[in-house]
Each structure stands twice: as C-alpha cells, then as structure tokens.
Amino acid sequence: MSSEDAQQGEAGGGAAEGRTVRVVLVDDHRMFRTGVQAEIGETGRTGVEVVGEAADVDQAVTVITATRPEVVLLDVHLPGGGGVEVLRRSAAMMADAERPVRFLALSVSDAAEDVIGVIRGGARGYVTKTITGTDLVNAVFRVSDGDAVFSPRLAGFVLDAFASTDAPPVDEDLDRLTQREREVLRLIARGYAYKEIAKQLFISVKTVESHVSAVLRKLQLSNRHELTRWAAARRLI
C-alpha cells in the first residue's frame, strides 16, 4: 500500500539524526517477524534496533520487561490473550515517567473493535501490515516521541468511539469467539475463500477450516451463508 497507510514523517529521519530507537517485535508468525526485522532492523540505515522478539503473551511480557524498549510493535491476535492482555500486563512500564514503553499495534486486522480495544488498552497507534517499511520506521520514531500514529481509515474508528458518550453494547455471542475467530468470521462474511483467508492471516487452509468450524459451533449456525447474515446484522462486514 502507498505511504498513506501511516501519517508520514521524513524517510530515514531517525538514522539521519543519529538517533536509535530500541524495538521489540511481538507477533505469533515467525516469518512475519523475520520480514519486519529485515525491513526495518538495519540500524545504521533506519535507526531502529530490534532488541527482542516474542510469539505469545507470556513471551512478550518477559522480553519487554527484560529489554525495556522504547517501542513495542504489537500484533493484536496472539496466543495467551491477545495484544490487549500484553498491554494490561505492561501497564506499569507504560506509565513509567522516566522510561516509558510505548506500543504501536501492527496487525492484519482493520476491524473497529480491534483498533479501539488496543487503544483503550494504552497503545499509542495502530497501523496495518500493508504499511511500507519506510512508513513503519517513521511510525516507530513518532510513537517513541509520544505521538499517536494511525492508518487514516483507522483513525476514524478511534475518533468515533471516543466521541460517543455511550459505551458500546456487550454482544455475548461475539464475546464467545476468540480474536482470531472473529477475524476469520469477518473475512468469511466478506466472501473470501479459505485460501485467500489463509494467505491474509499467514495461516494454513486447515487452520482456517478449524476456525470456521469453531465459529459455526459457538454461534450455533449451519453454514457460511447464515454466518454472513449474522455478521451483516451486527455490522461486522
């Protein structure tokens, strides 16, 4: 995607200024972490130093506590409770006036509830995984400076949510689903084939099938057509 995916700064500004921002990558897909490391982790060029990686909630909290980075690139969907749980368990580090740890969500999901959930949890921004390497570096530096950074479409979700005086209603049916199941639900409802979903989420087709079966069982639905109607009725598409 174009550089519109994140609010822009000057490319390579951190490296040019001689600054280094220490970053931890939290994502449950090793290949994705490897790709991000290759894209932004060449410190002499980008000014970003990747000081740790984690694949689930427990690992994330351990690595963040041990390394105390300036910025954590955090996936929303993680084994062990998701990105929101990492934020909850890192609250003291985020609140540290001397050495605050700041979080930037980096996710394939563009769902409003995912964006709002991590922002309410304390993340300083949210960008999607289609962001370019240059824009991601810029976003990291801006978040390290205390700015908020969002992909333009996602910023609207946050403004709408916090402008409302009414708390969103609790959907008990939706709450039965894990974050990954919600993501699969949304893509199924949008008409994606299993292979397309697998590619988008960096998982196998078999795993997609397992998530779909779990969603249908938990929601007591029979097929993807009923699932699509269910999702449309809740404006999840």
Side-chain angles (χ1 to χ4, degrees), residues 76-120:
V76 174
H77 303 293
L78 293 167
V84 171
E85 179 64 12
V86 176
L87 291 163
R88 186 186 70 79
R89 291 167 60 179
S90 302
M93 290 183 283
M94 286 190 284
D96 187 333
E98 296 295 325
R99 297 174 58 199
V101 176
R102 297 186 169 107
F103 287 78
L104 173 62
L106 175 62
S107 177
V108 70
S109 172
D110 62 357
E113 65 265 26
D114 287 339
V115 178
I116 294 165
V118 295
I119 297 306
R120 283 179 171 159

Side-chain angles (χ1 to χ4, degrees), residues 40 63 74 97 130 134 150 156 171 209 229-230:
I40 73 170
V63 172
L74 180 69
T130 52
T134 298
F150 295 92
D171 189 323
E209 292 172 350
R229 288 197 296 271
W230 187 94

Side-chain angles (χ1 to χ4, degrees), residues 191-212:
Y192 284 77
Y194 285 6
K195 287 184 179 179
E196 294 173 319
I197 296 172
K199 184 177 180 181
Q200 285 241 11
L201 302 183
F202 301 94
I203 58 180
S204 70
V205 172
K206 187 174 182 179
T207 300
V208 173
E209 292 172 350
S210 297
H211 285 313
V212 172

Side-chain angles (χ1 to χ4, degrees), residues 65-81:
T65 301
T67 60
R68 294 301 294 262
E70 282 86 14
V71 177
V72 177
L73 291 178
L74 180 69
D75 193 11
V76 174
H77 303 293
L78 293 167

Side-chain angles (χ1 to χ4, degrees), residues 16-225:
E17 296 166 8
R19 293 177 56 199
T20 298
V21 174
R22 300 167 69 254
V23 170
V24 165
L25 305 178
V26 180
D27 194 287
D28 60 340
H29 296 104
R30 182 180 58 81
M31 289 182 65
F32 180 77
R33 296 198 309 272
T34 300
V36 173
Q37 168 81 283
E39 190 74 27
I40 73 170
E42 188 180 330
T43 307
R45 175 177 59 86
T46 66
V48 173
E49 179 186 3
V50 177
V51 296
E53 298 182 16
D56 61 35
V57 169
D58 287 341
Q59 287 180 14
V61 174
T62 298
V63 172
I64 293 165
T65 301
T67 60
R68 294 301 294 262
E70 282 86 14
V71 177
V72 177
L73 291 178
L74 180 69
D75 193 11
V76 174
H77 303 293
L78 293 167
V84 171
E85 179 64 12
V86 176
L87 291 163
R88 186 186 70 79
R89 291 167 60 179
S90 302
M93 290 183 283
M94 286 190 284
D96 187 333
E98 296 295 325
R99 297 174 58 199
V101 176
R102 297 186 169 107
F103 287 78
L104 173 62
L106 175 62
S107 177
V108 70
S109 172
D110 62 357
E113 65 265 26
D114 287 339
V115 178
I116 294 165
V118 295
I119 297 306
R120 283 179 171 159
R124 296 292 305 174
Y126 194 117
V127 295
T128 61
K129 289 182 176 179
T130 52
I131 191 170
T132 66
T134 298
D135 285 342
L136 183 56
V137 169
N138 291 332
V140 164
F141 273 88
R142 291 189 60 191
V143 167
S144 75
D145 289 335
D147 291 345
V149 180
F150 295 92
S151 298
R153 177 171 176 265
L154 307 187
F157 295 155
V158 178
L159 291 173
D160 291 344
F162 288 93
S164 173
T165 56
D166 298 322
V170 174
D171 189 323
E172 293 182 1
D173 289 332
L174 192 61
D175 283 349
R176 293 191 185 102
L177 306 182
T178 66
Q179 289 181 327
R180 180 66 83 190
E181 287 167 353
R182 294 184 193 187
E183 198 165 54
V184 171
L185 160 67
R186 185 172 295 101
L187 292 174
I188 284 287
R190 289 176 179 176
Y192 284 77
Y194 285 6
K195 287 184 179 179
E196 294 173 319
I197 296 172
K199 184 177 180 181
Q200 285 241 11
L201 302 183
F202 301 94
I203 58 180
S204 70
V205 172
K206 187 174 182 179
T207 300
V208 173
E209 292 172 350
S210 297
H211 285 313
V212 172
S213 295
V215 169
L216 293 175
R217 183 181 70 255
K218 290 180 180 181
L219 299 181
Q220 299 182 341
L221 301 173
S222 300
N223 53 54
R224 66 183 298 164
H225 300 295

Side-chain angles (χ1 to χ4, degrees), residues 6-19:
Q7 297 177 24
Q8 295 188 29
E10 296 180 5
E17 296 166 8
R19 293 177 56 199

